[in-house]
Each structure stands twice: as C-alpha cells, then as structure tokens.
Amino acid sequence: MSDVGYIAAAWSATAAVLAAYVVRVAVRTRHARRSLPDDDPRR
Amino acid sequence: MTAAKPPDNGHRRGVASLPTNPRLLPRRVSVVLGWSTLAALALLTLFGLWGAPPDAVQGDAQRIMYLHVPAAWLAYLAFTVTSVASLLYLWPRTRSTVWDLLAGASAELGVVFTGLTLLLGSLWGRPVWGIWWAWDARLTTTAVLFFLYLGYLSLRRIPASVETRAKRCAIAALIAFVDVPVVHLSVNWWRTLHQQATVFNPELNPRIHGVMAFTLWLGVVAFTLVYVYLLDRRYQLAVLEEDLEERELDAAIAQRVAEAPSPRPAGVHS
Amino acid sequence: MTTTTSRKPRRLRYGIAAAVCVAAVGALLVGGLSRNLVYFRTVSEAVKARDSTGSHRFRIAGAVKPGTVEQSSKGVRFVLTDGKAEAEIDHTGDPPQLFKDGAPVVCEGHWGRGLVFLSDRIMIKHGADYTPPKVNLTHSPGQTS
Amino acid sequence: MNLLRELWVVTAKDLRIEARSRVTIGQVLPFGVIVLLLFAFALDPDRGILPRVAPGLFWVAVLLAALLAVSRAFALEEANGARDGLRLSGLDTGAMFLGKALAVAIQLFVLEVILGAGVVLFYDLTPRAAEVLVPAALAATVGLAAAGTLYGVLAAGLRVRETLLPLLLLPVVAPVMLGATRAFEAGLGLNGAPGEAWPWVEMLGLFALIYTTLGFLAFGPLLEEA
C-alpha cells in the first residue's frame, strides 16, 4: 500500500467512527424520546 | 405514605433527581456547534491533505498526524472530564446524578477516541516505522488505558442499585486516570520507538514548521468541538435513558403493588 | 460505619495516604524507572555489553552510516553508528520504505560473530520535529513557529 | 498497634476458612498447574523455548490463579450475610482491606512456591539467584494482592462479578506482569545479569505501595454502601 492508501484509510476510518457514533447516539436518543410519556419535561 | 408510592430508600434515583433539562447546551447552541464542528473538520481535511506540506523525512504519511494527535488529545480531555465529574460526585457537597451521568458520557467518548488513536497510530506506524504495532512504552500504556476504561464502561452497565453503581464507578474512574499522565509522559520517561511530544513537550517549545503547526492546532480545535458536541448529545441520551429506566421500574413496582394482597409491599426493591 | 470519634483520625489517614502516594509516584519518576523499560539499546551500550549478551535477542538503535548500505543475498548489510561506536548489521528481509543513508533505525535481532548483528526487523525511529522538505537546515526548526 | 491487631483478625479469619475449605489448595493450585502444563503442550515441540520464556509463563499462570483467589476471597463474604457481619464488626475498614489483602498475598505466595517448583520440573529450568527472585516475587505478590483486593471489593456483590473482575483487574496488573517477568528473566540469567533485576523490583515495590494505599483509602467507601 502506498502513502496515499494509508492516508485514505486513516481519513475514512475517522469519518466512519465519527459517523457511526453520531448515528448510534441519534438513534438511541430518538428511541428513548418516543418511549417517554408526553408530559415528561425531558422529552 | 400511601401504599402506591415506592419507598425511597436511596437505592433508586427516582425521576425527580434527574436534571429537568437533559441538555448541557441550549438547543440552538448545539445546532450551531454541530455545523461549526463539521466545518472545522472539513477545513482540517483541506489543510491536512493539501494545505500542509509533506514532511521532509516521513513524506506524506506524516499527514495522519493531523488526525492521530487530535484524537489522542480528545481522549485525554474526555478522561480528565470523567475524573473531575467523578470527584464532584464523590464529594458529598456536590453529589449529584448529573456528575455521574456526565462522567459516563465522557468516558464513552474517551474509549471511542482512544481506540481511534490506536488505529490511526497503527496506520501511521506501518509506512513510517515499518511495523503496525510495537511493544514500546507509549503504545503499551495507551492499550492499557483503553482496557481500563473499557472495564469502567462495563462497570457502569452492571445491574445494581444506582447509588452503589455510581459510587463504585466514580472510584474506578479515578483509579484508572492514573494511567493518563503515564501515557503522556511515557515518551519522556522511557526510551521508546514512539517519538516524543512535539507540541506539549517539556520545553514547551513546539518543534514544528508554520503551516504544519497551524494544521495541527486546527485539528486540536476541531476535535475539541467534536468532543463538546458529542458530549452534549451523549449526556442527553444518558439522561433520557435513565429517565426511561426509572419510569419502567416505577411501572413494574406499581404493578406488583397492585397485585399484592397486603397494602405494604415487602422487598420490592433489591 | 463512620462514627464521630473516628472522623478525625480518618482525615489524618487520608492525608498520610495521599502523601505516600505522591512520594511513591515521585520516586517512580525520579528514580530508576528510566533505567528499565528501554525499548532499544544504543550502539555503544550494545557493544559494551557484547560479551554478557550472548545470543539473546534485543533491539539496537543508531543511524545508518552513509555509504555503507549494500545489498546482500538475504537483504541488506550496513554499518550502524551512534557517533561513538559502530556495529555491522546483517539484515534478513526487505528494509522499510523510508530506509536510507543516515536514517535513524532500530533493528531487532541478536549478535552473530563478533560485532555483526543479525537483524530480522528494521524499524525507522523518527524524531518529533516536523519540517517541509525545503526549509534550509541552517535554520533551526524550533525557531520557525 | 490496634490496626495491626484488627488486620490480623481479618487475615486469620480468611486463612482459617481456607484451611477448612481448602479451595485455594484444592482448586486454584491444580488450576495453575494445568495452565503450566497447557503452555508446555503448546510449546513443547519447539525445544529450548520453554526455559527461555518460563518467567513469562510462570507469571501468567500466577496471574490467572490470582484472579481465582481474589474472586474466592470475596465469594467468602457473599453467603449468609457475611459481608454485613464484617461491616458491622466495628473493625477499621483500612485494617479490613490490609487483612484481606494479606490473606490473599499469603495464599498467592504459597501458590507461587509450588508453581515455581513446577516450572523448574516441567520446563527444565535451573533455579538460581534466590536473593533476587524472592524479593521480586514478594513485591509482585503484594502488588497483585493489593490491586486484586481493591478491584475485588469494587466488583463484590455484583451479579456479573466473575466476568467483570478479570476485565477490570488485568489491565491494572499488566505492569506487575511486566516487572515480575523482567526481574525473573534477569535473575535467572536469561536476559542480562541478576543485578539488572533491581530496578524492576523497585518498580514492583512502588506499585505495591501505591495500590495498598489506594485500597486502604477506598475500601471503606466501597464497602459501606455495597
């Protein structure tokens, strides 16, 4: 693998980790919000 | 005291002890922060891949530094926040659910970014050192750090009364934090394959050329924004899930109480 | 557990324990920790300990002496130096891409006959200085930023 | 002085239970020996490698056995509300920690002696430089016992204790593994001279001191609300 390959791998790994984490948190937040009753102040 | 109300014996948090506002930052600030983070990351990519010159010795492979060093910085920052929050939880006067949840949220980010640091370091090491992994002091202590906080995260998920869990987690977090300065200073204490700190070196004299230094600082700023944004989101999630869990428990207890023949429930709590 | 009578000694105890911890960590830093946990030995250290090392594996670090690199049937041979001592490296396998004259390297292997080190892995050890290729070398990188 | 007496009460209690139940000798020790045998099976065809890596294998076996011993030390307190009894005994919590850690350390040291004999026997190793090996083993044992007891109480009383304890404890005691292995390698003349072991022994001693102090402080708060 050339330098370009390693750099591309590093950048895409970072993007993938960040995106996966954001999506996971967003999905769980959405799920938790939906499950809470309407009168909950935290909703 | 009515029978329908579960006895409050400190084993449970109760929804009331949770912060009413699950956000660390106002909604609008969070949105703006999210977009600025994205912009900063885009700018970092621009400078990291094209703006900064290749290194005289390491060539283009050195560009991985612009992600690797900020990721490591974020991990340090996250574990520091975890420790401060744990300390505030243990201190009786400031004891609050907020600190416990914040410590957990921050530690999770720390683990994710320690893992990313190891991965990026490996991708840097292969072209530059010639190997993916070396058992030198910096790499080994970082791997230990990763597993220490992985253990902490499992400790957070244990089924136990909330007070017990929060207290044990806070103590575990403080013990684990001992490794953070060891990781940072390992390259100065021991002779390692890993290079010494460029920016936060003991002489406090960054040994790095202008545009490269700017790009590195840009990376640190961008990743700090990433941290603040994600911490806000993760903390909010922690509050919501805690709330949900308490409500489910309340519902389960209420159901048990309704089923019970005697008005005084015995042993509804663990 | 904590009765009012045991409060005071307990606070004293926390103080003493904290002091012990700080002292221990201090001793760890100031004391011998730097002596062990070395990832590699310098050429002069390795040459000095040549007789007691036998054929044990260890890592040796130095710079590739310019003009000494030659291809061998198994890989490369070159002279490693740290300015004070020299050792000949007989390496098996391909050297990494950044391997060249003057490169700072760490070799893993063991002593063969005399001061010939039989290496089977070369790693490039970089410093913490980063400069673009065109900065002239009379200009110290520390002053540029 | 009071502290020492209270400490010994706890140690004596744990050792007495061990003397009657024989769990460490009857179960943990055979486990350690089996681990040594497994290493031998795995590495035997490669003649000569076993004696060279013996210190590392020995300490891995000790570490795995230590996990079981620590687990056992806190399993003692689970049944019949023994922990409440301990908590209400009025003993000093610091003394309790030191007592339990000492009991674990004594058992571990006995294990090490027997496993060490096993290593000499199975791995064809000549023991020497006892004046280096014994202090190194003592320091490592105290460090293992202190860190183990601290994390043992951290995981005590939890339903997932058995699986959680190794995950929490192993990264923490990684430096003990490293230090003890290097000290033994130097002491046995496998890598360097016996004198090179002393910096490692120093490091092991400081590790033991730090974790003993941390445990001494944290044991009370950890036990009180558990």
Side-chain angles (χ1 to χ4, degrees), chain B residues 25 41 91 94 147 172 230 262:
Chain B
L25 305 167
L41 285 174
W91 191 254
T94 49
F147 285 106
L230 286 180
S262 133

Side-chain angles (χ1 to χ4, degrees), chain A residues 3 6-7 9-11 13-14 17-18 21-22 24-25 28-29 32-33 35-37 40-42, chain B residues 15 18-20 45 49 60-61 67 108-109 113 120 123 126 234 236-237 239-241 243-244 247:
Chain A
D3 278 1
Y6 288 106
I7 295 166
W11 245 266
T14 309
V17 166
L18 278 177
Y21 193 75
V22 169
R24 197 181 83 106
V25 170
R28 275 171 65 184
T29 306
R33 274 234 185 86
S35 313
L36 282 175
D40 193 294
R42 283 167 279 270
Chain B
V15 179
L18 291 170
T20 330
T45 305
L49 295 186
D60 280 324
L67 295 177
E108 190 176 287
L109 283 168
F113 280 87
L120 292 171
L123 285 170
R126 178 65 208 174
R234 185 63 187 82
Q236 182 184 4
L237 174 60
V239 174
L240 290 176
E241 287 191 338
D243 185 344
L244 201 59
R247 278 174 192 281

Side-chain angles (χ1 to χ4, degrees), chain D residues 4-5 19 68 85 91 103 111 133 146 159 178 186 189 194 206 217 219:
Chain D
L4 282 180
R5 221 181 51 230
L68 292 186
L91 292 175
L111 278 179
L133 298 194
R159 263 171 285 170
L178 178 77
L206 287 170
L217 288 184
F219 201 77

Side-chain angles (χ1 to χ4, degrees), chain C residues 1 13 17 28 32 36-37 56, chain D residues 87 92 190 199-200 206 213 216:
Chain C
M1 280 305 291
R13 165 183 300 188
L28 217 61
N36 41 38
L37 260 181
H56 291 303
Chain D
R87 208 155 62 196
D92 184 277
L190 297 170
W200 293 107
L206 287 170
T213 314
F216 189 72

